[in-house]
Amino acid sequence: MNKVKIACVVDDDEIYTFTVTRIIARSEIAEKTIFFHNGKAALDFFVANANNNEELPDLILLDINMPVLDGWQFLDQYVKMAPKLGKKITLFIVSSSIDEEDYARARAIALVSDFIVKPLTVEHLHSILGQLEEQ
């Protein structure tokens, strides 16, 4: 099983990011993981690195409930930006939400590959990697 070069986690929960760091390490799906605590920080990174494919992640794991700029607001901007990026980036929503409206909203966005309900597991990550290898 291959690894992605860079995984990106956008989530404000410090306990979750600590846990997901360990899960990503245990799953061995990424060479490097970058973290952002809100959608604005992540968007700023993408804007600054839009022409630098080496810095852009291969995979984004996005929470939807965050301060400053939530996951939906991030997605609104990211959808406009994605065609200008020189790299295809796979995006999964990872949230504690079990609201059907959130699922429906996520399914309506073509760039969202899937909606995963927390907690994220090694099995989820291996499944994600399998989907990436099929693309």
Side-chain angles (χ1 to χ4, degrees), residues 5-6 32 34 45-58 81 84-89:
K5 185 173 179 191
I6 303 171
K32 175 182 174 183
I34 56 177
F45 171 83
F46 281 95
V47 168
N49 290 285
N51 296 315
N52 188 354
N53 288 349
E54 289 299 311
E55 294 299 319
L56 292 174
D58 304 288
M81 175 189 307
K84 299 173 190 153
L85 300 175
K87 180 178 195 176
K88 182 184 181 321
I89 301 170

Side-chain angles (χ1 to χ4, degrees), residues 7 12 22-23 31 47 51 66 84 90 107-108 117 124:
D12 65 313
R22 296 178 61 118
I23 292 168
E31 294 175 17
V47 168
N51 296 315
M66 295 178 288
K84 299 173 190 153
T90 303
R107 282 191 296 272
V117 177
H124 285 129

Side-chain angles (χ1 to χ4, degrees), residues 1-82:
M1 191 176 287
N2 292 326
K3 293 181 180 186
V4 297
K5 185 173 179 191
I6 303 171
C8 171
V9 177
V10 185
D11 197 303
D12 65 313
D13 184 333
E14 290 183 22
I15 294 170
Y16 172 76
T17 55
F18 172 78
T19 304
V20 83
T21 300
R22 296 178 61 118
I23 292 168
I24 289 172
R26 192 170 335 126
S27 69
E28 300 180 339
I29 66 143
E31 294 175 17
K32 175 182 174 183
T33 306
I34 56 177
F35 293 89
F36 300 99
H37 291 292
N38 62 63
K40 182 177 181 337
L43 266 182
D44 291 347
F45 171 83
F46 281 95
V47 168
N49 290 285
N51 296 315
N52 188 354
N53 288 349
E54 289 299 311
E55 294 299 319
L56 292 174
D58 304 288
L59 171 66
I60 299 171
L61 302 173
L62 176 68
D63 187 22
I64 52 176
N65 298 310
M66 295 178 288
V68 185
L69 198 68
D70 69 24
W72 300 121
Q73 293 166 318
F74 169 86
L75 278 169
D76 288 343
Q77 297 302 312
Y78 180 76
V79 164
K80 296 172 190 169
M81 175 189 307

